[in-house]
Amino acid sequence: MAHYSDDELLKRFKESENPGYAFDLIVRKYQEQVYWHIRRLVICHEDASDLAQDVFVKAWKALPDFRADSGLFTWLYRIATNEALSFLKRKKMRYFLPMVDIEQQLSDSLETDAYFTGNEIEKKIQQAILTLPEKQRVVFNLRYYDEMKYEEMSKILGTSEGALKASYHHAVKKIEKIMTS
Amino acid sequence: MSKMLQKMKSGREEINRELQESGSLNLAARSRETGYGIPEGYFDTFSQAVQQKISAETRQAPSLVTRHFNLRTVVSMAATFVLLIGLGISFMLLRQGKEEGFLGEFDDHLYDEYFARVTQFDRTMLYDLIFEQETGLPETKTAIESDDDYLFDYLLDAAQYYGIEPTELITQNGIDNQR
């Protein structure tokens, strides 16, 4: 697949007679990043798959009005983060479970998930990450796994770089403590 | 080495250096494998699945005329109206009685937001609304998060309020980490 810049893709989407083709290229370009970002938050493959598809459905609906104030990448990550967090929020509300139980449920699902193939250490890291509050979990994942710069994260999450650094630092300390205990 | 690979490598090095400086050697040394797997060929068919979902949603979207005269919509609107009246009366009674407990924590802002949104009322919105309100309450009340995390969030908010740079909250073994 030819590698198009975001600007080129947006131009093709808005100006082409076949926006579906340009959109398909956008999906293919970002599908993996969006999926993995969501998967690390909701854990279950089926949920992550549904939500990742929803992100692109929402993007399809909103793209004609997208003004590119923020980059396409930032925008998609923002939708993905909101979708994942809203999903977890709805899950809590629907089952009236306190937050601790949901995190525990996610952690337990690692044991039974057919698509979790990690070793014991990888499982321990994931379980440690699941002890973090959601916001810290998002920050940790974006920095540690997506290797994102604070500046980019700040655009996605609407939080100052300083606050993100502090959150990440706090999350790292907590995970490290669990890993060494 | 391609530019992309070089960029990724320098990003990883920067993050590892940051981890080492904060004494997190375990995380710095690890590969970024999560252990999460996916069905074989999953991403080969992903965009197709998205296209199908978009097509399905487009087919399901009712026409403007149908939407206006749909029996279900009319019933929903009537139910919403009754619910509104009921909630309005309940809120008034609660306010008059200087209420206590969870409902007592609802404030004017919430009413405004509720009534502003009610034209597009649905169950998810109600969940969201209650949740927003609930998270506005002190979260320690149900020990939702550990005390540490609550305190940390509180300090972040406070730092922002007083114009203190949040990185000043970062300490290494009790020593200020700022240089």
Side-chain angles (χ1 to χ4, degrees), chain A residues 34-93:
Chain A
V34 166
Y35 169 83
W36 286 116
H37 175 52
I38 295 174
R39 175 76 184 274
R40 286 192 289 263
L41 291 171
V42 303
I43 310 301
C44 166
H45 164 70
E46 282 78 14
D47 292 339
S49 186
D50 267 353
L51 292 169
Q53 288 174 22
D54 289 346
V55 168
F56 287 106
V57 172
K58 285 196 171 165
W60 166 260
K61 289 177 185 165
L63 257 179
D65 301 318
F66 181 61
R67 289 180 301 161
D69 293 338
S70 59
L72 185 59
F73 165 81
T74 308
W75 184 61
L76 287 173
Y77 255 79
R78 197 181 302 146
I79 301 175
T81 306
N82 287 341
E83 281 292 301
L85 294 183
S86 300
F87 169 81
L88 292 174
K89 198 195 285 183
R90 282 199 302 273
K91 207 168 175 177
K92 277 165 208 157
M93 292 309 297

